[in-house]
Amino acid sequence: RNREPDMRYVFNTGKTIARRLRRGQLVILESTTYPGTTDGDLREILEASGLKAGEDFHLAFSPEREDPNNKNFSLRTVPKVVGGFTPACLAAARALYEHVVERTVPVSSAKVAEAAKLLENIYRSVNIALVNELKICFDRMGIDVWEVIEAAATKPFGFQPFYPGPGLGGHCIPIDPFYLTWKAREYEFNTRFIELAGEINTSMPDYVVSKVMEALNEHGKHARGSRILILGLAYKANVDDDRESPSYRLMEKLEHLGAAVSYHDPCIPVIRPSREYARFAGRKSVAISKDFDLILIATPHDEYRTFDFAALGVPVVDTRNVVRQKGDFLFRA
């Protein structure tokens, strides 16, 4: 909650393993974490067994890499970064993974492997923050940020497109960069890019809410008492993963303003229990209809890209560039 690592699950698992640890076994951590977890904290927990890492058992780190609903890559085809506590630990870990993946990428230490995973997610967080900030800037200039990105993406070198949204979601990008921010304090170093990106990305739901209020005002309505339908609870298109989804923040903020908020998501028919948003558990997806005062598109599910929103006759706030129809009903956010 305060952007400090909660490592209880990892460390308690380590303690359980330590009670059963035997000579010659291989222990690999895959959870994203701060550099030094594997060969520092976890090693000490495991060595409470009386066995020594690198001598009696092997210890390594290999970060999970996955992209739900990405049909171009599978577990087998994504290269696996591997770092060991010792060269022998590295060799043992590679021997295991080479039965599973097509390619392993050995690095000099577990710390390097831990840092590589953080860099991957920090890279995305910072670049998404950049386009989110430009979205607000270009909106004031009367420029469509999506058209700008599409134009820039035609450059065949030196540019990779990232896209804005209503806030970050998923179990990686909103969380993982702050492992490094926290660890860097031990070395009297401030990770300013990471923290600035976090500020921008976490502020996006407020920007979206301001656009919702603007759209309602344009149609002579107030937030209080308005019926609002949020399209999409999943954090990305065509999956049922709602972890850290910005849609929940939007629901929370709009209800705080007095709106009656419903949702539609073809992948999430019922909201599952969660720690942070337990009060939303049990709510059910409802049909898209003209019975609402405003529709807010938060997730770019394929189903929404072919829907005729203009026919509903209600304002639509689109945070994902889903609606291609033009008209006074459409507001970009």
Side-chain angles (χ1 to χ4, degrees), residues 194-213:
I194 297 173
E195 294 181 20
L196 178 59
E199 290 175 14
I200 293 171
N201 289 329
T202 56
S203 72
M204 294 317 297
D206 290 310
Y207 172 74
V208 172
V209 168
S210 73
K211 283 293 185 177
V212 168
M213 296 177 69

Side-chain angles (χ1 to χ4, degrees), residues 44-294:
E44 292 175 3
I45 290 171
L46 295 172
E47 288 185 344
S49 65
L51 302 177
K52 295 295 182 183
E55 298 178 13
D56 302 313
F57 67 94
H58 299 300
L59 179 62
F61 179 83
S62 181
E64 180 185 57
R65 281 173 163 174
E66 65 170 19
D67 187 14
N69 202 42
N70 188 327
K71 297 178 176 60
N72 297 319
F73 298 98
S74 65
L75 174 65
R76 186 164 188 80
T77 60
V78 177
K80 200 85 166 72
V81 173
V82 186
F85 180 59
T86 66
C89 294
L90 173 60
R94 290 188 69 189
L96 171 68
Y97 284 122
E98 285 172 357
H99 286 286
V100 181
V101 300
E102 292 179 354
R103 179 189 171 204
T104 59
V105 182
V107 295
S108 60
S109 68
K111 286 183 179 179
V112 170
E114 290 162 339
K117 173 63 174 182
L118 293 179
L119 175 59
E120 293 170 17
N121 289 336
I122 290 167
Y123 173 78
R124 287 187 56 77
S125 175
V126 169
N127 280 281
I128 291 170
L130 173 63
V131 293
N132 274 333
E133 186 171 60
L134 290 176
K135 172 177 68 174
I136 300 173
C137 177
F138 290 157
D139 179 62
R140 294 185 182 182
M141 296 179 179
I143 299 171
D144 184 346
V145 68
W146 296 92
E147 185 178 1
V148 173
I149 294 169
E150 288 175 8
T154 62
K155 184 179 180 181
F157 53 87
F159 182 83
Q160 179 183 354
F162 287 82
Y163 300 97
L168 290 182
H171 63 293
C172 290
I173 300 174
I175 299 170
D176 295 350
F178 297 105
Y179 282 114
L180 187 59
T181 294
W182 176 81
K183 189 66 175 180
R185 296 191 196 119
E186 288 186 18
Y187 298 88
E188 298 181 353
F189 188 85
N190 294 320
T191 53
R192 289 177 290 174
F193 263 115
I194 297 173
E195 294 181 20
L196 178 59
E199 290 175 14
I200 293 171
N201 289 329
T202 56
S203 72
M204 294 317 297
D206 290 310
Y207 172 74
V208 172
V209 168
S210 73
K211 283 293 185 177
V212 168
M213 296 177 69
E214 177 185 324
L216 287 170
N217 186 61
E218 286 285 332
H219 287 74
K221 298 181 179 180
H222 301 283
R224 182 169 297 280
S226 291
R227 295 162 298 171
I228 296 175
L229 178 65
I230 293 180
L231 299 190
L233 281 188
Y235 81 89
K236 66 177 294 187
N238 309 317
V239 301
D240 65 353
D241 192 341
D242 61 348
R243 286 175 292 179
E244 306 297 324
S245 172
S247 294
Y248 288 117
R249 290 289 293 156
L250 293 170
M251 290 175 68
E252 185 177 62
K253 288 177 178 294
L254 290 169
E255 288 188 348
H256 181 73
L257 292 173
V261 183
S262 303
Y263 86 95
H264 173 275
D265 194 307
C267 301
I268 305 174
V270 180
I271 297 179
R272 297 176 290 262
S274 65
R275 285 178 290 177
E276 191 169 0
Y277 297 107
R279 62 190 175 281
F280 295 141
R283 291 195 189 184
K284 297 181 179 180
S285 176
V286 301
I288 304 174
S289 73
K290 61 182 180 181
D291 296 330
F292 294 92
D293 298 302
L294 181 139

